[in-house]
Each structure stands twice: as C-alpha cells, then as structure tokens.
Amino acid sequence: MAEQPHLTVVGAGPAGLAGALAAAERGVRVTLVDAAGRPGGQFFRQPDPALGADRKQTPHHEWRVWKRLRDGLDRHRATGRITHLTDHHVWCAERDPGSTEITVYALAGATQEEGVTVRSDAVLLATGGYERVLPFPGWTLPGVVTAGGAQAMLKGSLVLPGRKIVVAGTGPLLLPVAAGLASAGAQVAALVESASPRALLRRAPVLAAQPGKLAEGAGYAARLLRHGVRVLPRHTVVEAHGTGRLTAVTVASLDRRGRVRPGGAHRIACDTLAVGHGMLPHTDLADTLGCTLSGTDVRVDSEQRTDVPGVWAAGEATGIGGAALALAEGHIAGRSIAARLHGNAPDPCQWAAAARARKRLRTFSAALDSVYAPPPGWTDRVADDTVVCRCEEVTAGDVRTAAGSLGGSDLRTLKLLTRAGMGWCQGRMCAPAVAGLSGCPFTPGRRPFARPVPLGVLATPPGQRLD
C-alpha cells in the first residue's frame, strides 16, 4: 500500500482550517501548525475556556461557520487524519535538496526554545496578515494600541483595553472593533475614519454585488448608533497627548486631497486609542521558500499554487480580503493539494462555487482597498522628533536625513544608515512608515528567518521530527 501523502498547513485561521479540512477529507494526512493555543485565527479567536464564557459572551459573528470548522477539525483529529500542533511558531521553511519534500521548522511551547521539524510532501501557507500603523506624534504613549490588538483583547480575554476609547485610522476593521467595544460596555468616544463616504458611494455598484457584506456593515453601524458613538468621517488623529500615558487625542478634518483643514482640529479626552491603517500580508515564509510576490502579496494561480513546486498559499497572504475570501481560497487549495498529491489532475468543477465566491470577493476587496487608503498627506503631520522605529528608537528626522543628504534610496540602504528595521520585529511595523517618509518603494524585506530564533536551536541538531 502506498504511503499516505502528507501536507503541512501553516496557520489555523479561516484559510488554514478550510484547506486542512478539504485535504483531510480527501485522504491526505495533515499537520496543522499554529502559533496560537487554539484554532480560529484572529477572526474566530475564542475566549480562554478558563473564563467560562457562554455563547452570548463570545464577541464574534459567523458562529455557524466557526462551529462547522471546529467540529470538522475535532473529527479529523480524533481519527488521526489531522495533527494539530498548537503554540508552535514557524521560523523557516525550505525545500530539501535532491528531494520533493519540504521541511518546516518551528519553535514549540511558551519559551519557544524547543526546536521541531515537520517534513511533508506539500505546504499550504495560510500565514494571515498584520496591521499597518502609521506614526504620529504621541503614538508610542501607553494607552495607544492597534485596532486589532484591542479586538484580540476583547475576543480572547473578554477584557476592555480602556474605559473611554477612540477608534481611529482607516479600513473596514475599524467598524467591527468600535461596535464590539461599545457592545462590551466601553465608552467609545468617537470612530475617526479618514476615508470619505463619497468614495464608498462611487463604488456602490461593486459593493452592492455583496449584499451580505453590506448587511454586516449596516449591522455594525446600527450598533454604533444604538450606543451613541460619534462617527467622524474624513477625519484623522494628528496627535496623542499625555504624560506617562494617554489622556486625549487631537483629531482634525481632512480636505479632498487628504490634507488637514485649517482650524478643523479639536481634542477628545480618552484613556485608550485603538488605531490602524489597514492590513498587510505575512509573506516571510513564502519569500524564504522563493515564492514570487506580486507587490506585497504572494502570487498564486487559479489553484492557489505558488510558483514553487509543492507550495500553495491562501488567505490574507495572497492579498487582504477578509475571512470569507480566505475560506474560499483555503477550500480551493485543499482540494487542489489532495488531487495533486494523489497523482490526479485537479478538476476545477469540484470547486466551482468557491472559485465564483473568490472572484466576487476579490473584486469587492479591491473596491474597499481603493476607498480605505491612508490619506496622502499623512507624512506631513509626522514631526522630525516622532519615533518611527520603536525597536531602535529611530525618528522621522533620522529617516528624512538618511533619504536626503545621505542618499538612501531604498529600504535596505535606509536600514543600514539608520538601523530602522534592525530590531525585534525586523521592520514589520516600521517599514511602511519608513517608505512613506523617505519616498522609497515599499517592498517586503527578504529575511532568512520569519521570527527571532534562539542560538541554541540553530546550534543543535533538529529537535522533534514529525514526518
């Protein structure tokens, strides 16, 4: 009897779960590797069981979809078809020389000092995305958190990040964050969105093709209205204030060019600012494996295959589009992987419905991207003494000097000149800001490792192996 083909899925969010289930249901042995302690990713993040939360206290929607994914995962884990490795942080992946196998390296446990290797016939990268936060004076004050961070605290720990909160920035994530915080009992002083409602109206025909999405947005808006949350469209936070911690923010109205209107600024008292300016794909592992990127996204074909044999990608890594798009892409990838690992030619008719959903949702996401772009004048509001790279304490003035008189013309050169991006996050947080302030193109940096690795793990033979 031929050995059962083996797939490694990196990431247990919507895309990873959909891909793992689709492959397992078609006779593929799956190892699901995830950094979190429980499956679901950010979208389906669940409260810790020790909190004893009931269904009504779980602050997310799409419960039926989550229940189907969770039950499917439990069923396949019970039969041994899926092995779920929680608290495993993947730091590298590579194709084995002279072999068709791919090896994934991870750090296990809370201390992340135990090395684990997983060898398999194929890999599905469902690594998700991360938030883009652009700097402004005061953004490093305690009390300033990312919008996704505030949502994660609420979903995972049922904890409010503060009592009086301003939600600000741009992007479709702000609406559910503000609605969720208000419903949980926080006083949301304002929802500050830099995008213009007119931009949404100009794309109404495309947006109307997804009535479910519009109904979801309308539901969030109704909750904001019910809780008396003030919504400030075409506004932005220009400064955060406080000594020791956040006490207020200054917001200003924007003109049609994204510039601050003279005399249009006012203060809002708050103890927390949840801020975000959209999402970016996690592409470190794809880049390490040699996958081609299209801009900031992993390039894939109609089967979600990358241009590296044996490597598929799905979800936010291939372009930010939300959970529904991630589910469709993960399902397509899982079916394609199963067919090809069994030596069969995939039949696109088997995932035709998912492919149609993928096309509609990609069009919808592209329309949203054109609306929710950071205002073009944001760099003008960043003073020279504003810290841009928090890891290395590099200021906006340092970046401007390096790009000007020192001749830095790309992110790598600016990194060498200023140390921006040399810290723990390796530029994931500051690179968009450095690019914007310097005028350099924003291109994801190529890194040998996707996360910091203890020298002891690199210096010792591979730890536990799962083949």
Side-chain angles (χ1 to χ4, degrees):
M1 181 180 295
E3 185 177 352
Q4 191 177 29
H6 184 197
L7 164 68
T8 299
V9 178
V10 181
L17 288 174
L21 294 179
E25 288 164 1
R26 288 158 183 81
V28 175
R29 181 166 55 94
V30 178
T31 299
L32 179 61
V33 187
D34 192 49
R38 292 178 298 279
Q42 172 75 340
F43 187 81
F44 290 121
R45 185 185 293 269
Q46 303 293 307
D48 192 297
L51 296 174
D54 59 27
R55 167 66 187 95
K56 293 180 180 179
Q57 293 174 294
T58 304
H60 72 67
H61 59 292
E62 299 289 353
W63 179 260
R64 291 182 179 179
V65 176
W66 162 243
K67 188 176 183 299
R68 175 175 58 81
L69 294 171
R70 182 195 63 192
D71 292 349
L73 177 61
D74 289 344
R75 183 174 65 254
H76 286 300
R77 288 176 62 188
T79 62
R81 186 66 58 81
I82 294 180
T83 300
H84 183 199
L85 303 181
T86 60
D87 295 312
H88 279 62
H89 302 257
V90 176
W91 56 271
C92 186
E94 63 179 2
R95 288 183 58 83
D96 293 349
S99 169
T100 59
E101 288 188 328
I102 299 173
T103 302
V104 170
Y105 300 91
L107 301 172
T111 62
Q112 298 180 41
E113 294 181 352
E114 177 189 352
V116 174
T117 62
V118 183
R119 299 185 190 277
S120 57
D121 304 298
V123 167
L124 170 57
L125 301 176
T127 46
Y130 63 99
E131 281 187 277
R132 172 172 52 193
V133 179
L134 303 177
F136 50 87
W139 78 295
T140 58
L141 278 169
V144 179
V145 299
T146 66
Q151 187 184 59
M153 291 175 65
L154 181 60
K155 284 185 173 183
S157 302
L158 303 181
V159 171
L160 292 173
R163 295 182 178 180
K164 190 172 184 179
I165 305 172
V166 170
V167 179
T170 190
L173 177 62
L174 300 187
L175 196 57
V177 169
L181 292 171
S183 298
Q187 180 186 353
V188 180
L191 169 57
V192 183
E193 168 60 69
S194 63
S196 167
R198 291 183 180 179
L200 281 171
L201 292 176
R202 286 195 294 268
R203 289 154 182 82
V206 175
L207 300 179
Q210 290 293 318
K213 289 286 187 181
L214 296 183
E216 179 184 333
Y220 291 133
R223 286 161 64 183
L224 294 179
L225 182 63
R226 185 165 64 250
H227 290 283
V229 177
R230 180 169 46 153
V231 179
L232 299 175
R234 198 181 281 176
H235 279 66
T236 191
V237 171
V238 295
E239 187 171 359
H241 308 279
T243 302
R245 73 162 291 111
L246 181 72
T247 57
V249 296
T250 294
V251 302
S253 61
L254 302 173
D255 62 20
R256 293 184 178 181
R257 295 179 299 169
R259 310 288 177 176
V260 171
R261 294 180 184 275
H266 63 281
R267 280 200 185 201
I268 301 176
C270 60
D271 58 30
T272 303
L273 170 63
V275 62
H277 300 90
M279 302 283 292
L280 293 168
H282 266 304
T283 58
D284 291 341
L285 291 177
D287 204 22
T288 300
L289 282 162
C291 303
T292 299
L293 303 185
S294 179
T296 60
D297 309 334
V298 181
R299 184 184 298 174
V300 293
D301 64 10
S302 60
E303 296 180 34
Q304 300 297 137
R305 291 183 300 171
T306 72
D307 56 354
V308 175
V311 181
W312 279 253
E316 310 288 45
T318 66
I320 304 300
L325 177 57
L327 287 168
E329 292 185 350
H331 182 76
I332 293 169
R335 281 179 170 265
S336 168
I337 292 167
R340 293 195 175 275
L341 290 185
H342 285 301
N344 302 321
D347 181 5
C349 294
Q350 294 182 352
W351 60 72
R356 289 192 295 270
R358 178 180 60 186
K359 182 178 180 179
R360 292 193 303 268
L361 289 165
R362 280 182 175 172
T363 302
F364 181 86
S365 298
L368 289 184
D369 286 344
S370 66
V371 172
Y372 293 114
W378 71 267
T379 56
D380 299 338
R381 299 189 289 275
V382 182
D384 280 347
D385 61 354
T386 301
V387 172
V388 174
C389 173
R390 301 177 71 165
C391 298
E392 297 293 325
E393 298 184 350
V394 179
T395 66
D398 296 330
V399 173
R400 288 173 173 139
T401 298
S405 59
L406 298 182
S409 58
D410 59 79
L411 290 180
R412 178 174 174 78
T413 301
L414 291 172
K415 181 177 182 179
L416 295 173
L417 291 172
T418 66
R419 294 191 60 83
M422 287 191 179
W424 180 269
C425 81
Q426 287 292 290
R428 292 169 184 82
M429 289 294 294
C430 67
V434 172
L437 289 166
S438 64
C440 298
F442 173 59
T443 53
R446 190 156 205 172
R447 309 176 184 95
F449 304 144
R451 61 180 301 105
V453 186
L455 287 175
V457 172
L458 295 177
T460 57
Q464 178 186 2
R465 279 186 49 170
L466 298 171
D467 297 326

